[in-house]
């Protein structure tokens, strides 16, 4: 049951529901102590009830809080309340990225995403669910949300194209075999760069199965991408994760 406006979690007062899905409910809240708005992500009950998964999440949340990267939504705290546990995060009001974008703008966005991913990967954190809905642009600055969280959710039902972890358009081929190294983020970024430059994902289809089969077997058509950027996108979309950037 959604939390009502006025509900308090620690020093944070819920003001409105922002959205909900496989990763839990997300609310806007007011930090009474510091006088700022924050995002409050209430963790799914199934995860809270699993001591091993919860312990792993708490360890990773500490690493995320220490990242302090300008292109990653900041984690402020992990709070406990009567209904469960909630992650307190930076509230990002920017709009999700959408293509096609001018080439220079697409490259600037991609560089910021890559910089954030590099910082996360160096700390052993893989996003696993990188897609435009998790990338926000606010006054020219990119912010990545939900980084490091999706590995703790076994099934996400945020869209018809979502199964296991990640959205099918952005899922690297090796995910079909249960491999989730940092290379899956590189692949997803390659898909997003293609989408930012052309307005289309490299693999589309009528069904999830059709799209997945194309991810596994077909080479992407990169003819619409500017010539000087094709090698960058092509390498990010390599089927073999060891051959990616």
């Amino acid at each position: 049951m959604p939390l009502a406006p006025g509900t308090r979690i620690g020093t944070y007062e819920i003001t409105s529901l922002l959205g909900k899905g496989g990763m839990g409910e997300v609310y806007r809240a007011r930090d009474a102590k510091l006088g700022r708005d924050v995002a409050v992500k209430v963790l799914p009950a199934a995860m809270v009830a699993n001591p091993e998964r919860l312990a792993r999440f708490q360890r990773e949340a500490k690493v995320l809080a220490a990242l302090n990267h300008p292109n990653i939504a900041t984690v402020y705290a992990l709070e406990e309340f009567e209904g469960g546990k909630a992650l307190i995060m930076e509230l990002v009001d920017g709009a999700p990225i959408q293509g096609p974008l001018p080439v220079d703008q697409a490259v600037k966005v991609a560089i910021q995403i890559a910089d954030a991913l590099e910082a996360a990967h160096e700390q052993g954190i893989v996003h696993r669910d990188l897609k435009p809905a998790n990338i926000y642009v606010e006054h020219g600055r990119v912010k990545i949300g939900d980084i490091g969280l999706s590995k703790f959710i076994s099934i996400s039902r945020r869209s018809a194209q979502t199964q296991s972890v990640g959205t099918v358009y952005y899922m690297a081929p090796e995910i079909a075999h249960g491999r989730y190294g940092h290379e899956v983020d590189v692949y997803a970024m390659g898909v997003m760069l293609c989408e930012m430059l052309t307005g289309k994902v490299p693999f589309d289809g009528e069904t999830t199965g059709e799209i997945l089969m194309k991810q596994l077997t077909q080479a992407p058509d990169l003819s619409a991408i500017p010539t000087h950027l094709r090698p960058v996108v092509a390498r990010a979309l390599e089927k073999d994760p060891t051959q990616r950037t």
Side-chain angles (χ1 to χ4, degrees):
M1 185 174 181
L3 300 179
T7 301
R8 297 188 71 87
I9 298 177
T11 62
Y12 307 96
E13 182 177 336
I14 300 296
T15 57
S16 63
L17 176 67
L18 295 176
K20 57 183 178 179
M23 301 287 279
E25 296 161 347
V26 183
Y27 298 86
R28 178 187 289 264
R30 187 69 175 172
D31 184 343
K33 187 178 292 184
L34 297 178
R36 64 183 173 187
D37 285 346
V38 298
V40 174
K41 184 181 292 289
V42 176
L43 304 182
M47 189 179 82
V48 175
N50 187 313
E52 183 179 348
R53 291 171 72 192
L54 182 59
R56 287 173 55 216
F57 177 82
Q58 288 173 322
R59 289 195 296 271
E60 192 141 326
K62 289 181 180 179
V63 176
L64 285 168
L67 271 179
N68 194 29
H69 192 279
N71 300 119
I72 296 175
T74 304
V75 172
Y76 297 134
L78 184 62
E79 295 283 345
E80 188 168 350
F81 65 107
E82 186 177 350
K85 291 185 181 291
L87 193 68
I88 314 301
M89 305 180 68
E90 176 184 3
L91 180 67
V92 182
D93 283 327
I97 58 170
Q98 291 182 326
L101 301 174
V103 174
D104 287 351
Q105 185 179 350
V107 169
K108 288 178 181 178
V109 169
I111 287 172
Q112 292 182 70
I113 297 172
D115 197 35
L117 290 177
E118 182 177 31
H121 292 170
E122 285 178 351
Q123 297 300 319
I125 297 172
V126 180
H127 194 295
R128 293 186 177 210
D129 195 18
L130 202 62
K131 59 187 178 183
N134 286 332
I135 311 291
Y136 302 89
V137 181
E138 189 175 31
H139 306 302
R141 172 169 286 181
V142 170
K143 288 281 186 178
I144 300 180
D146 277 351
I147 194 162
L149 302 181
S150 60
K151 70 170 65 178
F152 299 99
I153 310 298
S154 59
I155 298 177
S156 173
R157 302 190 183 278
R158 278 165 292 168
S159 76
Q161 274 72 44
T162 302
Q163 65 180 47
S164 189
V165 177
T167 302
V168 66
Y169 295 115
Y170 308 92
M171 284 171 63
E174 66 269 22
I175 289 177
H177 304 292
R179 296 170 60 185
Y180 296 97
H182 70 270
E183 298 89 356
V184 302
D185 287 348
V186 176
Y187 187 91
M189 184 174 168
V191 175
M192 289 194 300
L193 184 52
C194 182
E195 194 172 10
M196 284 190 283
L197 291 166
T198 69
K200 298 179 180 179
V201 292
F203 301 106
D204 203 350
E206 295 296 324
T207 66
T208 296
E210 181 184 354
I211 299 166
L212 288 174
M213 185 56 65
K214 289 179 179 179
Q215 300 271 27
L216 287 165
T217 62
Q218 291 189 11
D221 178 4
L222 305 180
S223 59
I225 291 175
T227 305
H228 67 291
L229 292 176
R230 286 179 200 168
V232 177
V233 179
R235 190 172 173 196
L237 295 178
E238 285 281 357
K239 305 295 186 192
D240 181 353
T242 65
Q243 299 302 310
R244 290 183 205 138
T245 308

